[in-house]
């Protein structure tokens, strides 16, 4: 009977599926310090830790070639991977890049993707050291793996947040999601009337947040300079709500964030207004901002208090309180993770 059982993947969702397929994975090497469950795996390589992560971008799921320029796509493929390395408080060193291409692509088109890949490698100071090239029957796939390095006493996991810590964000959120909304709208307009040219000039900032995100390795350099090791950290690929819940779950804590303190750029705010979307939604549930969400010990607050590039959005408390948001109207609403639904 059970051989015939069929469970649809959407019953488990992305995280449920990952949990199921990885729950009986054994670790057999002493050098594997941290396996599945964080932004990157952690490997003991002697004096330092090496961190390793992988993320792929698929046509139709992560990008739409009708509005994603090929150079930007190459750049984004590297940036989103480097972001996972930064989330471990590490700096990237090597990448491998694998591509699956359909016969739609010319050599020149692939050159453009690699222009972006090489520009990102230069910018983040990473070496492209390998990869794989295959054909694809349905759409372009770019899969990247990345390594990084961090001193053993500076590694940061999702699991280190503790009661009293301050929740911080490295930059504004929601822009990438609103950029995507604008691009999708302009695509529709173009499809219904190809005479109409897309109007993107007024949306340069948010469209840029979607098409050409940056990994915040600069923040990792800054934290090192100031002498702060966050107690926990994660990058915002899936929306702040989902990422806060990952920190709470991994650390066994609860968290409160203040709606009023969520950094939403004026240009994102304006787009929300135009699309009649509450400005809190894209930041909490939109994703792809690739900012760093981290917690610091209260003791460290004075070191960053005046830093204009760090936003203090809330605090950590006990697990029983759960993850919640204090709204502008002083109401307390539980945070539920409505991140990107793959299934
Ligand atoms: N198919 C898989 N097999 C093994 N581990 C996986 C798989 N998919 C995801 N993971 C691991 O599960 C954790 C969560 O993955 P994910 O949510 O994609 O992380 P991130 O958002 O940082 O890229 C990571 O540690 C990742 O390496
Ligand atoms: C054409 C298109 N559709 C939808 C999106 C939105 N989107 C795609 S994946 C994603 C979430 C992040 O992707 P995932 O593969 O889950 O990254 P990970 O968390 O593993 O780093 C979002 C918001 C997009 N950027 N482009
Ligand atoms: Mg991540």
């Amino acid at each position: 009977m059970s051989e015939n059982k069929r469970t649809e993947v959407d019953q488990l969702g992305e995280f449920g599926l990952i949990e199921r397929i990885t729950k009986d994975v054994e670790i057999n090497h002493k050098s594997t310090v941290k396996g599945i469950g964080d932004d990157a795996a952690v490997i003991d390589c002697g004096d330092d830790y090496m961190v390793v992560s992988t993320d792929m971008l698929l046509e139709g799921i992560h990008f739409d070639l009708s509005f994603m320029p090929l150079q930007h796509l190459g750049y984004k493929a590297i940036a989103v991977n480097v972001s996972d390395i930064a989330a471990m408080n590490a700096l990237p060193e090597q990448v491998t890049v694998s591509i699956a291409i359909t016969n739609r692509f010319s050599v020149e088109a692939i050159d453009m993707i690699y222009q972006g890949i090489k520009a990102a490698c230069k910018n983040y100071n990473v070496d492209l050291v390998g990869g794989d090239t295959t054909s694809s029957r349905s759409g372009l796939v770019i899969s990247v793996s990345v390594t990084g390095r961090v001193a053993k006493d500076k590694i940061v996991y999702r699991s280190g947040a503790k009661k009293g810590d301050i929740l911080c964000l490295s930059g504004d959120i929601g822009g990438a999601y609103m950029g995507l909304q604008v691009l999708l709208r302009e695509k529709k307009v173009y499809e219904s009337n190809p005479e109409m040219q897309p109007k993107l000039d007024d949306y340069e900032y948010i469209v840029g947040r979607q098409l050409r995100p940056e990994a915040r390795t600069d923040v990792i350099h800054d934290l090192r300079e100031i002498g702060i090791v966050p107690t926990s950290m994660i990058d915002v690929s899936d929306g702040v709500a989902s990422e806060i819940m990952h920190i709470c779950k991994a650390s066994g804590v609860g968290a409160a964030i203040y709606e009023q303190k969520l950094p939403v750029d004026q240009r994102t705010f304006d787009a929300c207004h135009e699309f009649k979307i509450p400005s809190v939604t894209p930041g909490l549930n939109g994703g792809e901002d690739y900012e760093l969400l981290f917690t610091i010990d209260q003791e460290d607050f004075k070191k960053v208090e005046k830093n204009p590039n760090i936003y203090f959005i809330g605090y950590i408390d006990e697990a029983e309180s759960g993850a919640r948001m204090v709204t502008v109207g002083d109401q307390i609403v539980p945070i539920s993770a409505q991140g990107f639904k793959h299934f």
Side-chain angles (χ1 to χ4, degrees):
M1 272 297 272
S2 65
E3 282 150 44
N4 294 329
K5 187 170 176 226
R6 182 191 155 90
T7 312
E8 299 304 326
V9 174
D10 62 4
Q11 271 176 257
L12 294 183
E14 179 191 354
F15 300 128
L17 179 66
I18 295 173
E19 245 175 73
R20 179 183 167 114
I21 60 183
T22 61
K23 68 170 183 294
D24 49 7
V25 169
E26 286 174 14
I27 299 295
N28 290 316
H29 291 275
K30 269 215 314 251
S31 53
T32 309
V33 177
K34 170 82 192 172
I36 293 156
D38 217 297
D39 292 288
V42 180
I43 294 160
D44 192 336
C45 61
D47 289 344
D48 295 325
Y49 282 147
M50 182 165 89
V51 288
V52 185
S53 182
T54 188
D55 257 325
M56 51 182 173
L57 298 187
L58 278 85
E59 184 176 351
I61 304 291
H62 298 89
F63 59 88
D64 181 330
L65 285 174
S66 62
F67 53 69
M68 173 56 110
L70 293 171
Q71 286 110 313
H72 287 9
L73 176 60
Y75 194 97
K76 184 168 177 174
I78 300 299
V80 303
N81 274 276
V82 168
S83 179
D84 277 323
I85 298 304
M88 306 303 288
N89 202 28
L91 289 170
E93 294 194 343
Q94 289 89 17
V95 284
T96 61
V97 176
S98 301
I99 50 169
I101 41 188
T102 63
N103 55 12
R104 245 177 340 136
F105 286 87
S106 64
V107 173
E108 289 73 19
I110 298 160
D111 277 346
M112 302 245 269
I113 299 175
Y114 270 78
Q115 271 175 28
I117 289 175
K118 287 171 192 167
C121 286
K122 192 164 178 227
N123 191 25
Y124 297 117
N125 190 23
V126 291
D127 297 334
L128 173 56
V129 295
D132 194 22
T133 306
T134 79
S135 56
S136 160
R137 297 232 173 141
S138 59
L140 174 65
V141 179
I142 307 181
S143 176
V144 176
S145 295
V146 59
T147 69
R149 185 186 292 270
V150 55
K152 288 184 176 172
D153 61 347
K154 304 262 178 337
I155 186 84
V156 177
Y157 297 103
R158 294 175 179 181
S159 57
K162 55 182 191 334
K163 188 175 170 187
D165 286 354
I166 298 164
L167 256 173
C168 312
L169 258 176
S170 62
D172 66 281
I173 48 171
Y177 178 85
M178 291 316 296
L180 180 61
Q181 301 317 304
V182 169
L183 289 162
L184 290 170
R185 180 183 68 186
E186 294 305 310
K187 181 186 174 184
K188 254 197 203 150
V189 171
Y190 179 78
E191 278 173 347
S192 62
N193 181 1
E195 304 276 285
M196 301 270 281
Q197 285 307 306
K199 280 205 237 43
L200 294 175
D201 290 359
D202 293 345
Y203 304 99
E204 209 179 315
Y205 177 70
I206 55 176
V207 165
R209 294 287 280 171
Q210 167 62 221
L211 298 181
R212 203 181 186 283
E214 293 286 5
R216 300 303 308 271
T217 47
D218 59 317
V219 175
I220 303 310
H221 285 290
D222 288 353
L223 289 172
R224 286 184 187 184
E225 228 162 76
I226 312 165
I228 287 187
V229 178
T231 52
S232 71
M233 187 148 58
I234 189 167
D235 71 328
V236 182
S237 61
D238 223 17
V240 164
S242 173
E243 317 304 0
I244 282 185
M245 291 181 72
H246 282 312
I247 285 188
C248 286
K249 192 171 173 204
S251 302
V253 295
I257 58 168
Y258 296 97
E259 180 180 4
Q260 203 160 20
K261 300 228 174 220
L262 289 176
V264 177
D265 188 273
Q266 185 62 43
R267 291 160 288 192
T268 306
F269 188 84
D270 291 346
C272 288
H273 185 72
E274 190 183 333
F275 280 77
K276 301 190 170 54
I277 296 175
S279 63
V280 67
T281 308
L284 282 185
N285 300 319
E288 294 187 288
D289 297 304
Y290 296 100
E291 294 299 339
L292 295 169
L293 174 72
F294 56 99
T295 53
I296 57 169
D297 194 288
Q298 276 184 35
E299 282 281 296
D300 283 331
F301 183 59
K302 54 188 176 304
K303 295 186 195 161
V304 284
E305 199 176 3
K306 298 210 169 67
N307 189 325
N309 303 316
I310 298 180
Y311 301 89
F312 307 102
I313 64 164
Y315 61 89
I316 298 292
D317 56 10
E318 47 280 294
E320 295 70 45
S321 317
R324 59 214 188 276
M325 181 172 72
V326 182
T327 68
V328 176
D330 258 352
Q331 276 180 311
I332 293 173
V333 293
I335 291 176
S336 61
Q338 294 161 1
F340 186 77
K341 267 191 81 165
H342 280 287
F343 308 107

